[in-house]
Amino acid sequence: MAKDASPPQQAPTAPPDGHVPSHPVDAPRRRSAGRDLRAAIPVGLGLGAVALASLLLLKDSFLVLVVVAVAVASAEVSTALAARHLAVPRAPVLLGGALVLVATYVVGPGAGLVIHGLACLAVLVWRVAEGRDGAVRDVTAGVLVLSWLPLLAAFALLLLAEPDGAARVLVFVAAVISSDVGGYAAGVLLGRHPLAPSVSPKKSWEGLAGSMALSLAVGAVLVVVLLDGPWWAGVVLGALVGVTATFGDLAESMLKRDLGIKDMGSTLPGHGGVTDRLDSLLVTAPVAWLVLSLLVPAT
């Protein structure tokens, strides 16, 4: 008869002091950010390569990239809201959002704000024409999408419109990416104290510190190297980016929890939707534009 290959079970031995614990001690858990890194890393590198090529080869092509990304994100958010019976008027939102971006880049911030106001009015008129039931709810959802996505993204195009716009966008994007990477690494390795457990349980104060530290260092270096500005302006930019990028991520997490979804979409393997990649960038864009405009005037 073949013997059982498994070793015989041994009775647990009591510790030297004779005290037997009343419950087993849990094994330490491996921390994880919950993403498929094998898919996320190549997709992220591909997106970065496309954005970098558009900035270095033909600056205006970055405008096209932003318009497409915002349109896809707007469609994702509209679909997510529809699951909660919030019908975003898509035609005025998508067209109005594209016009906000183009007008901001070609004409200036004043034109972008006017188009945004007209787009909000178009949302109202469009929804009224469909009937009054749920009109307030749907109009509010449409204005949310217009104000969250194209209006905030327009600040990145204000950076791009400067004579050294490609370099300014590179500094802005690199600082945000550094914040995400620093927060991820510090959160996985050191995270112990939740930052906002009811919104995003995996966000920690240690992660926030990592976000600020790396974005501060990258900001200080790139402002000097790419913009010929003072290092302390890069420090200010990096510190603020670390906070705003984390807040942008938390804000989207709050919306997703309220909607009962994990991601806004599934367009990007390993990342979720386009909206899930823009969250930190969108909230940070106005801050980056303001800081660079005040502390590193365009040359």
Side-chain angles (χ1 to χ4, degrees):
M1 180 181 297
K3 295 183 179 181
D4 188 354
S6 61
Q9 299 290 329
Q10 295 183 352
T13 57
D17 60 2
H19 175 68
V20 178
S22 58
H23 58 277
V25 178
D26 292 335
R29 295 180 179 179
R30 179 180 295 178
R31 294 183 172 271
S32 171
R35 290 290 180 189
D36 182 2
L37 294 182
R38 288 177 298 181
I41 291 176
V43 170
L45 291 175
L47 292 174
V50 171
L52 184 62
S54 67
L55 286 170
L56 297 181
L57 299 178
L58 181 61
K59 188 175 76 168
D60 292 348
S61 64
F62 188 76
L63 168 64
V64 178
L65 183 63
V66 172
V67 170
V68 171
V70 169
V72 174
S74 298
E76 290 175 348
V77 175
S78 298
T79 300
L81 292 174
R84 283 299 188 94
H85 309 292
L86 297 168
V88 174
R90 297 200 183 197
V93 165
L94 294 177
L95 179 58
L99 291 176
V100 166
L101 296 170
V102 173
T104 300
Y105 180 66
V106 175
V107 182
L113 286 174
V114 170
I115 298 296
H116 176 265
L118 292 175
C120 292
L121 179 60
V123 165
L124 175 61
V125 173
W126 188 281
R127 185 57 187 81
V128 168
E130 294 180 343
R132 69 178 187 178
D133 291 342
V136 173
R137 178 186 59 202
D138 296 343
V139 169
T140 302
V143 173
L144 168 66
V145 176
L146 278 170
S147 302
W148 176 23
L149 298 171
L151 185 61
L152 292 181
F155 284 92
L157 297 179
L158 289 178
L159 289 171
L160 185 68
E162 298 289 353
D164 55 350
R168 287 175 178 265
V169 173
L170 281 175
V171 171
F172 153 60
V173 173
V176 174
I177 292 175
S178 300
S179 172
D180 289 344
V181 171
Y184 175 88
V188 169
L189 297 176
L190 306 172
R192 296 293 184 274
H193 302 89
L195 178 62
S198 63
V199 176
S200 181
K202 292 183 179 180
K203 290 289 183 184
S204 65
W205 285 101
E206 292 82 0
L208 175 60
S211 293
M212 294 184 64
L214 190 56
S215 62
L216 187 151
V218 170
V221 170
L222 292 187
V223 164
V224 173
V225 173
L226 296 182
L227 301 180
D228 196 26
W231 64 267
W232 54 266
V235 169
V236 173
L237 175 67
L240 291 176
V241 165
V243 174
T244 55
T246 301
F247 175 77
D249 194 13
L250 286 174
E252 197 209 4
S253 295
M254 178 186 67
L255 293 176
K256 290 190 291 188
R257 280 188 172 271
D258 191 40
L259 294 171
I261 58 178
K262 182 178 183 294
D263 295 314
M264 281 292 183
S266 57
T267 308
L268 304 174
H271 293 268
V274 173
T275 314
D276 299 298
R277 291 302 88 209
L278 293 180
D279 52 5
S280 301
L281 292 163
L282 289 169
V283 177
T284 304
V287 175
W289 171 77
L290 181 62
V291 170
L292 293 178
S293 296
L294 293 177
L295 303 183
V296 191
T299 56

